[in-house]
Amino acid sequence: MKLVEYNDAYKSQLKSYKVGDETYTGLPQDAVIISQKNKNYHSILLINDLNEISTFFVLDYGEDKFKYTTATKSVLLRSFSTNEAFLRRGYALKTLQLLPNYIRNNYPAVKKIVLGVNEKNLAAQSLYEKAAFVKESQTYIGKKGKQFIFSKEI
């Protein structure tokens, strides 16, 4: 398995990527459009051993990260999802375990990952804790309600 930045070689596969529950995450297809226009917005894929997209997320280096942290050498993890066809197989956790090395290799100036999780999204909170993210004491009120802030030092 490997993390790669989205490119058009994955375009047709991304069209069939399904998010079962869109309550707490954005659609990969929409995020890719944003990343093509915004140089701080990077669409990242977890590609499994059969060269299939199993997980998708965005690394956002723009100003939105400051809603979650004051750390200038940070990145905001957003739009995290697992392709419905690959749910409950450990891909999400594997993605988060590979992420620190991916960032170290591709964005060496970044020292911290931050993200927001809706207070009602207990499954995601559990996932991030398993991946050694720390729940911060502060919260953020987002479009879909109260967000717990999680972070991980790299």
Side-chain angles (χ1 to χ4, degrees):
M1 285 186 265
K2 63 184 177 184
L3 294 176
V4 299
E5 188 152 0
Y6 172 82
N7 63 65
D8 283 343
Y10 295 103
K11 189 174 188 172
S12 65
Q13 245 192 91
L14 196 67
K15 285 180 183 176
S16 63
Y17 187 108
K18 300 271 189 274
V19 175
D21 183 357
E22 298 173 31
T23 305
Y24 303 116
T25 191
L27 291 173
Q29 297 85 344
D30 296 337
V32 165
I33 292 168
I34 295 169
S35 68
Q36 291 170 337
K37 298 174 185 173
N38 182 338
K39 66 180 175 53
N40 291 317
Y41 211 83
H42 298 267
S43 295
I44 310 295
L45 315 170
L46 176 73
I47 304 301
N48 68 19
D49 295 335
L50 298 174
N51 205 38
E52 300 165 313
I53 303 170
S54 50
T55 306
F56 177 92
F57 61 94
V58 169
L59 293 176
D60 183 352
Y61 296 89
E63 297 298 309
D64 278 358
K65 68 185 176 187
F66 295 117
K67 296 174 184 174
Y68 302 87
T69 184
T70 58
T72 56
K73 294 182 178 185
S74 62
V75 64
L76 175 61
L77 174 65
R78 62 189 328 165
S79 298
F80 190 90
S81 67
T82 300
N83 189 337
E84 196 172 57
F86 300 99
L87 286 173
R88 294 172 194 38
R89 296 191 203 170
Y91 287 111
L93 181 58
K94 184 65 177 172
T95 298
L96 295 172
Q97 291 168 337
L98 292 171
L99 186 55
N101 276 339
Y102 178 84
I103 291 173
R104 271 189 220 96
N105 292 333
N106 294 282
Y107 305 98
V110 173
K111 303 300 177 198
K112 185 176 191 177
I113 306 166
V114 295
L115 59 97
V117 179
N118 189 285
E119 68 178 334
K120 296 175 187 166
N121 192 346
L122 302 178
Q125 292 175 47
S126 177
L127 170 67
Y128 291 119
E129 287 170 349
K130 283 181 192 167
F133 279 76
V134 175
K135 186 176 178 182
E136 303 289 343
S137 58
Q138 60 273 47
T139 59
Y140 168 73
I141 304 301
K143 290 184 231 173
K144 297 180 181 176
K146 185 177 181 180
Q147 304 276 310
F148 292 125
I149 298 171
F150 284 77
S151 69
K152 184 171 189 170
E153 300 291 330
I154 300 178

